[in-house]
């Protein structure tokens, strides 16, 4: 059976390029989520919880276990007067 050796170079290029792109995308997404996998298909409740976590900790993916809220938490919320598109990744 003849082997198309000449096809192996572009095949290797494609595998390498897709692998590099995927790995960089994975690393970028994780860097934006403090090393955690990104969240998908978030509903309004989950977005509100991430907004609260951001007010509590400074980052939407961070969490804390102290029962006392930090200074200024009670005044840091926003009353939205128009529809806001939550867009945390
Ligand atoms: C992304 O990176 C993490 C941690 O390095 C790894 O566990 C995970 O399998 C990777 N995901 C993909 C799709 O490569």
């Amino acid at each position: 059976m003849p082997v198309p050796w000449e096809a192996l170079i572009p095949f290797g290029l494609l595998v390498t390029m897709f692998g590099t792109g995927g790995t960089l995308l994975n690393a970028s997404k994780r860097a934006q989520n403090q090393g955690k996998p990104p969240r998908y298909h978030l509903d309004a409740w989950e977005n509100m919880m991430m907004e609260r976590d951001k007010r509590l900790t400074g980052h939407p993916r961070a969490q804390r276990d102290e029962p006392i809220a930090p200074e200024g938490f009670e005044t840091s919320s926003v009353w939205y007067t128009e529809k806001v598109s939550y867009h945390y990744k």
Side-chain angles (χ1 to χ4, degrees):
M1 184 177 124
V3 178
W5 299 108
E6 65 276 12
L8 293 183
I9 290 174
F11 179 72
L13 281 170
L14 279 171
V15 168
T16 305
M17 293 299 176
F18 275 109
T20 304
T23 302
L24 289 176
L25 182 63
N26 187 6
S28 168
K29 287 282 194 182
R30 283 178 181 266
Q32 295 169 49
N33 286 281
Q34 297 192 325
K36 301 163 194 157
R39 289 173 171 161
Y40 296 103
H41 310 297
L42 299 174
D43 61 19
W45 174 259
E46 292 161 334
N47 281 320
M48 279 191 285
M49 290 296 99
M50 290 172 76
E51 174 98 12
R52 181 210 57 180
D53 287 343
K54 185 178 180 191
R55 289 168 52 217
L56 281 172
T57 64
H59 193 281
R61 291 304 304 269
Q63 293 172 348
R64 55 186 279 146
D65 58 358
E66 293 156 38
I68 308 298
E71 189 77 23
F73 176 76
E74 55 281 324
T75 57
S76 65
S77 69
V78 178
W79 288 8
Y80 297 108
T81 55
E82 58 189 65
K83 190 165 172 53
V84 176
S85 75
Y86 295 97
H87 202 66
Y88 293 130
K89 301 210 176 72

